[in-house]
Amino acid sequence: MNDASRNDVPQHKDLPLPDYDHLPVGTLPTRISGLEEADVAQLVSYEKAHGNRLPILQILEKRLQDLQGGAVPSGPRTPGTPEVNTGQPVSPQSPSVPGPPVNPPSQGVPTNPSQPR
């Protein structure tokens, strides 16, 4: 690859989708549905230069053809990425939430030998 073509490849920080490299293939069609033609073309260039993954390229190139054929972007321009794990729980619970009730067996606790069985 020569220097001129390397300069044409977008950098990861310039991509229209945050965490593009970590998105599951199954969510890519909905993630790119709100992007303009230039944004999808940018993703195609990036993918060809970096991962060159055939399933990803097929999705991106199909969407690019659709946009070039008159399709209109639909959906948010930069959708959220719920499938990317941030390490935070989805719905944090306060520590005061009680657990399920504990019902000891009617004959006593089997791990305590001093209890009659």
Side-chain angles (χ1 to χ4, degrees):
M1 182 181 284
N2 63 32
D3 288 337
S5 64
R6 192 174 298 139
N7 291 337
D8 294 340
V9 176
Q11 298 297 311
H12 186 268
K13 63 181 175 56
D14 300 326
L15 294 177
L17 291 177
D19 294 330
Y20 166 77
D21 291 327
H22 304 288
L23 294 175
V25 176
T27 64
L28 189 59
T30 56
R31 298 281 174 232
I32 63 174
S33 65
L35 299 179
E36 300 287 334
E37 183 179 332
D39 294 330
V40 178
Q42 186 180 26
L43 290 174
V44 169
S45 296
Y46 179 83
E47 184 61 36
K48 284 182 178 179
H50 292 90
N52 205 23
R53 299 167 289 181
L54 183 61
I56 302 293
L57 283 172
Q58 288 174 332
I59 293 169
L60 293 173
E61 289 173 343
K62 169 74 170 98
R63 180 62 182 161
L64 187 58
Q65 289 173 358
D66 291 347
L67 290 168
Q68 291 168 342
V72 178
S74 61
R77 167 109 170 61
T78 54
T81 54
E83 64 279 341
V84 176
N85 187 357
T86 61
Q88 299 295 321
V90 176
S91 58
Q93 292 183 351
S94 71
S96 64
V97 175
V102 177
N103 295 323
S106 60
Q107 73 276 8
V109 180
T111 57
N112 187 347
S114 63
Q115 296 278 332
R117 293 180 210 224

